[in-house]
Amino acid sequence: MSLLSLLAGLACAVGVALLMWQIGHWASQYMIRERNAPPGVAMLRPHPDGVQVAIPGAQGQIQAWHRGSGPAVILVPDAGATAGAMLPLWTLLAGYGYRVIAWESPASLRGQSLEDVVADLDLVIRHFRLNRPLLAGCGWGAYAMIQHQAGSIQAPSAQARAMVVVSGFSGQAVPASTGKFRQIFQASLGYQRRLAAFGEGISTEALQAIGIHCQLDPGSYQRHAFPEIFPSARYAQLDLPTWLLASRSDEILSPLHTQRLAAALPRAEVHWATEGGGHMLHWERPGWIVEIIREADATIRQASLAAS
């Protein structure tokens, strides 16, 4: 009888331990664990350190900053994000001698349609009269970037030499709910709790930076539906080197988005972050992203020289 009681007690103890572990695991995904700021956050300032220009757009003035004289790289921020949100990439790319251009779309900041953001990107490329720039975009901004290039197949003056997609969005068939974007972009309704959006943890500095650089009006997205990317003959015709960078720890966008883009784009190459990082890879892992950009650019130049 005592042996049965002992076994029953052990079973209960193991069961309670497993239950507590599971509860702790769930809870850890929705709490803020203080840690040192990710490397990118230390670089963040309200605006890039470059020459500012205003470009007339259909929905208002597009603000753009440029710096340097080397190969051109245009940085495309996420939905509702200012140009300053791209500062970690801006700083490193400028240090390597690239001509870096960061911009912010009034259409994106106000939560207007995808077509308006794509049109703003086209205006930026044409304003600077760039000869096949490299485009590097994050999240929903990367989606707009891909849509722009897919629509520019017959317009050589607007074509890029390559794309780098960071935590890329791939579209969806139903309207994005107001609650979803409030959860992502409004700290008061839950963004702090999305721990894995910043990988292993989120610092006070990172939370302050969100407030500075994310100005999205999430309610406006209730009026818009993001189209499914399949079937898309234009994607299949997009013969453009594309590097897809993502993290399997991203809780804002499922890795499925990256997998769908990889299947749709004929020259896509996927790189998964293996040393931490969540959705905000351009803040957490800017050095890794810039190294891939440099390697991609070197590959493109070598192929161009070989072809000539």
Side-chain angles (χ1 to χ4, degrees):
M1 189 68 176
S2 59
L3 179 59
L4 290 176
S5 299
L6 178 62
L7 292 175
L10 286 173
C12 288
V14 170
V16 170
L18 289 173
L19 177 62
M20 294 304 294
W21 176 85
Q22 186 64 60
I23 291 173
H25 176 70
W26 288 334
S28 71
Q29 297 182 359
Y30 298 96
M31 66 181 289
I32 299 173
R33 285 179 285 185
E34 295 294 339
R35 66 164 189 171
N36 294 329
V41 173
M43 300 181 184
L44 291 174
R45 300 181 301 278
H47 302 295
D49 182 18
V51 178
Q52 183 176 0
V53 298
I55 304 170
Q59 302 298 330
Q61 294 286 332
I62 303 166
Q63 299 299 320
W65 290 259
H66 63 100
R67 175 181 172 184
S69 58
V73 178
I74 296 180
L75 303 176
V76 186
D78 206 343
T82 65
M86 305 299 284
L87 269 164
L89 299 183
W90 165 284
T91 303
L92 293 175
L93 287 167
Y96 281 114
Y98 285 91
R99 183 185 184 190
V100 193
I101 297 167
W103 62 289
E104 56 195 38
S105 165
S108 175
L109 294 176
R110 296 171 190 160
Q112 290 170 314
S113 69
L114 174 69
E115 290 76 14
D116 289 329
V117 179
V118 170
D120 284 351
L121 173 56
D122 194 70
L123 288 171
V124 170
I125 294 174
R126 296 180 187 279
H127 174 85
F128 288 102
R129 299 178 181 178
L130 301 174
N131 181 22
R132 299 184 69 86
L134 186 146
L135 301 180
C138 299
W140 190 84
Y143 181 57
M145 175 183 79
I146 296 170
Q147 293 283 24
H148 174 271
Q149 287 298 292
S152 301
I153 293 173
Q154 304 301 327
S157 62
Q159 289 177 3
R161 65 181 182 275
M163 293 188 296
V164 175
V165 175
V166 181
S167 303
F169 179 65
S170 66
Q172 58 193 39
V174 297
S177 69
T178 300
K180 173 64 174 176
F181 282 93
R182 286 185 186 278
Q183 182 183 53
I184 294 177
F185 291 106
Q186 286 192 338
S188 62
L189 293 182
Y191 191 48
Q192 300 109 311
R193 297 196 303 272
R194 302 302 292 184
L195 175 66
F198 284 84
E200 296 301 319
I202 183 169
S203 67
T204 302
E205 290 83 358
L207 286 175
Q208 292 171 346
I210 293 171
I212 293 171
H213 295 295
C214 293
Q215 302 178 4
L216 180 71
D217 172 15
S220 62
Y221 274 88
Q222 194 171 29
R223 298 189 299 271
H224 301 296
F226 298 112
E228 191 79 35
I229 65 170
F230 300 111
S232 176
R234 291 188 305 174
Y235 274 62
Q237 296 171 10
L238 191 52
D239 187 26
L240 186 66
T242 304
W243 284 262
L244 305 175
L245 283 57
S247 169
R248 291 188 173 92
S249 297
D250 186 339
E251 285 195 357
I252 299 301
L253 288 179
S254 164
L256 178 62
H257 284 269
T258 296
Q259 294 165 1
R260 291 169 65 201
L261 289 172
L265 297 167
R267 297 183 63 184
E269 181 179 309
V270 180
H271 295 261
W272 297 102
T274 58
E275 297 178 4
H279 184 67
M280 304 296 284
L281 288 174
H282 57 299
W283 286 13
E284 296 178 286
R285 302 291 306 281
W288 175 65
I289 294 171
V290 169
E291 285 305 310
I292 290 178
I293 289 175
R294 295 179 66 207
E295 292 173 6
D297 229 14
T299 300
I300 294 167
R301 285 197 298 269
Q302 288 172 3
S304 179
L305 288 173
S308 60

